[in-house]
Each structure stands twice: as structure tokens, then as C-alpha cells.
Amino acid sequence: MKKLLLNFIFIVLGFSAFADYNSYDIPDSAEIRRTIVNSWLTPDLNTLRNYKEQFKDNRVGVTYQIRLEESDDEFSVVVAPRSEIDINMINGDTVKTVRAAVYPKGAAGSWILYRSKNKGEKPLRVEYYFNQDSDVYLQFRPEGTKTYADLIICGSYAARSVLVGVPFNRLYTASFHEVRNWTKKSLPWDKVTVLKNQYTNTLIMAGTIRNNLDSFTFMDDASYDEHGKLKSIFTGKDILVMDEYGNPVSAEELKKKHFLSGAGFLKWIVDGIVEPYRGYGTAIQQLTVPTMEFNSVGKNGVMSQDWNLTFTLDWCRNLASEAYSIRSSRHGDYKSAGLDVNYNYFSSEIVDGKILNSTGYLKNTGYSADHLKSMLYVLAVTEPEWFYLGAIRQGSAIKADDLVFNNCIVFFPYFDRNGKFGCFIFEQGEEISMDKFLEKYSGAYVHLERVKATEAFFPYEKK
């Protein structure tokens, strides 16, 4: 009997510790929150303003800070785990690095209760942070006697207003393990469950491209053909490279530099996959084969008689097809091989019957660039070791209202060894950050084509 009792105690203690640090390797504050319901989570704002921040340890030794934060319309109680950062202390000509404790509200394991400053200080929402990226989190909202959940990824709703069968105040003391169980069938957890160490080939390719960036000089309409000869994409003729003074570039300079357009740069990347297998690269004339047809009497049909409206869309689709055919040892076009990325993973925001902030896929147009980060995040989770050629659709240089595919880009999304999201982005022989991309292409659309990453990546390098 004593043995059974001891086993039962060990099971209970093990479950309690599990609640404090769960199988997802995320610290949990549930045990701490159970002790502060009356002191921090339910008192009025004036009472909370008299409190100083408080520190408590959970059973596995993770220190949490409990504090009040305010904005114009709402206030929040933050329960955040301890992290450490390096700070450079400058004293004259010397720099000393010291480690400092911080308690960021978006750290994995943070829990936040928001309440209104108006309307009787009623609860507005609870947020659970379970990821190394602070813009990926789970949110619960009360509406009457019901509780609804939202799963938010980089500003987009992977799930919105999902009914959860628990009272809202139950969330004050619920662990992440519990809320995960409550929502395991109703929320798309597979889109945010990060598995580390799956991105070796992605990082190899991105690193190789990075190492060659100094050799690239942008040149409009320029690309290597399948035999490495510099050609005009649109005429097929040889290109004579001229310097800024109108003189031919020396043979020595041609050996050191890649003179390529944005489309030629993407071809250089894919040729680094194709050429090692078959001994020559992709043919320019095959990459410009149209992948769309227009109504001849429609606006785009009339325009397409004088202008190529889908140049980079065709280019990216055909490049992805070439890479697929090499990898699979059988020919396939973008349709038969399923190379278009055309998922609709996110909910649109609907206000007064109008769709705002659409994050869905538009056929032959792609995704809004403003919401592409959330899509790339999910692709990194669900399709590790793939990268994406992006055809950019935006206003033409001639008339801003006429949308054309006139630029292209490549994305290498990944998660680092800590599970934090990152994405290498290259265009026209340069690397740009995600923030720079979002700023530069706000209002544009990006059509994505998937290509399998490989360690057998040997692009033509200049010495």
C-alpha cells in the first residue's frame, strides 16, 4: 500500500513539473499564476498601480517577472520568464560586455492578460507565447459566456474565432499543455510546430550564394545561356559588356564578375543545381515559354500583343520545372509537378462585408507581399529544405495602374538551432532583409514557385 501511495505521489509531482516545463521545451507559469489570481489578475487598476514588479520561480527553477503595463485604452499583467542578453558597456576606449537579465513579454513561455481601461476594466484577451518568435502566439478572447481562440503568425490569422469550450477565467491558471490539448483538433498546430535541424541544404545553398555576392554586377536583360555565354534574354544575341564610360570591359574583369539581370541571377542559382547533373544549364528560350493565356479582346490580351506582362512569372515557373525534372529524372511542367505555391492557410479580415488584408492566394497573381512573411514561416515549418522563386507583380514603369511581372526574387526560409525563424532573400545579385523586402514591395504581389534545396549546389563561380 505504501509503495502504491509513493508511486502516486511521484506521478503527481511529475505532472506538476511537466506543467512548469512541458514537452515542447517551453517554460510555463501555470503554477505561479495560480498563486496570483487574487493579487494580480483580478484587482482594479488603481490597486495594481501601487505594486512593484514581483519575481517568482516555478518548480523547475525558471524565474518569472510579474508586472503591470499600460497603454491609452488598456492595461496588462505580464508574466514573463527570465532571459539574458549581452550588453556592451563603453568606457572611453574600452568596451566591456556584461550579461543582463531581461523579461521580454514576447518570450517563449510568456503569458499576458489584457483588460480594458474603460467598460468596467473587463478582461479583453489572454495571450500565450510558445515560440522563439514573438509574432507567433495564441490568443483567447471572451464574448459573453463563450471563449474564442485565434492563432496568429506574423500578423496573419492562421485560425480566427475558434470556439473553445472553457470559461475565460479558466485561462488564468491553465498551462500551455492544457490549452494545447483543448485545441489540438481545432487549431492548425502543424503550421507552428517547429522541428529543428532540417535546414542543412537550405543553409548550404544560401551560404554559397552569399559567398559569391561580391562578384555580381547588375546588368539589364543579361543572362548566361546553357553553355555559360552571356546573352540578351529578349533577343538571344551576345552581349558586349561596357563600363560606365562606354568602353568594353576588360577580359580580366569579365573573369572576375557576373554581369546579370535579376532574372539572370535566378537562372544562375538554378543552373547550379541543373548543370552538375547533365553538364549544361537551362536554355533561355525554354524559360521564356508562356505559362498563361489571355483573352485576346480583353485589356491584358490587347496589352500582351506589345508587352510581356508575365515575363518573370513564366521565367520562375519554367526554372522551377527544370530543377524538378533534374531531381525527379522525368520531365514535368509547373502544373503537373505542383510547383506553384497556392495554399490558403490564413483567414482574411472582414469588416462591414468587405475583405481587408487578404492573405490568400490569387490565381496567376500570388500573395500580397505585405503578408508574405507569415506564408514563408508556415512553408518553413511544413516544407523544410525547399526554397522559393518569387515573381513580383507590380505597377509597370510606363503606367502604375498596369500590373506586370517585371521583377523576381528568391527566398530561403529556415529555422535556426534555437527554433527561431529566418529567411535569406536575394535579388539582382544582392541580399536584402525581410524588413527591407516588405518596405520595398508593399502593395505588390509575389507568386512563389517551390524548388528542392540540395547540398549538390555548384553554381558557376568567378575567380
Side-chain angles (χ1 to χ4, degrees), residues 12 31 91 102 166 251 254 360 379 409:
V12 171
E31 293 299 321
N91 184 11
V102 292
V166 296
L254 289 174
L379 289 173
I409 199 165

Side-chain angles (χ1 to χ4, degrees), residues 355-411:
I355 297 179
L356 304 177
N357 299 327
S358 175
T359 54
Y361 173 77
L362 300 177
K363 186 177 180 180
N364 294 323
T365 294
Y367 299 92
S368 166
D370 298 297
H371 299 280
L372 196 63
K373 182 180 179 181
S374 54
M375 189 69 214
L376 290 168
Y377 182 97
V378 174
L379 289 173
V381 173
T382 58
E383 298 183 359
E385 297 286 45
W386 290 77
F387 68 99
Y388 303 90
L389 308 178
I392 298 172
R393 189 172 190 242
Q394 57 189 154
S396 73
I398 299 173
K399 189 177 180 182
D401 291 340
D402 294 333
L403 299 180
V404 297
F405 286 100
N406 60 0
N407 199 2
C408 52
I409 199 165
V410 61
F411 303 93

Side-chain angles (χ1 to χ4, degrees), residues 34-98:
R34 287 167 193 158
T35 68
I36 64 168
V37 172
N38 294 327
S39 56
W40 278 93
L41 304 184
T42 55
D44 60 57
L45 178 56
N46 286 332
T47 299
L48 294 175
R49 282 173 174 160
N50 292 322
Y51 291 174
K52 293 182 178 179
E53 68 270 15
Q54 187 175 359
F55 298 89
K56 285 179 175 286
D57 291 349
N58 66 11
R59 290 191 195 195
V60 294
V62 178
T63 301
Y64 272 80
Q65 183 190 65
I66 306 152
R67 66 181 185 267
L68 171 71
E69 292 189 1
E70 294 187 58
S71 63
D72 291 340
D73 300 320
E74 58 188 27
F75 64 98
S76 60
V77 173
V78 179
V79 186
R82 174 190 170 108
S83 300
E84 291 186 342
I85 60 171
D86 290 332
I87 298 177
N88 292 327
M89 306 292 290
I90 301 174
N91 184 11
D93 295 330
T94 62
V95 178
K96 181 181 179 181
T97 301
V98 297

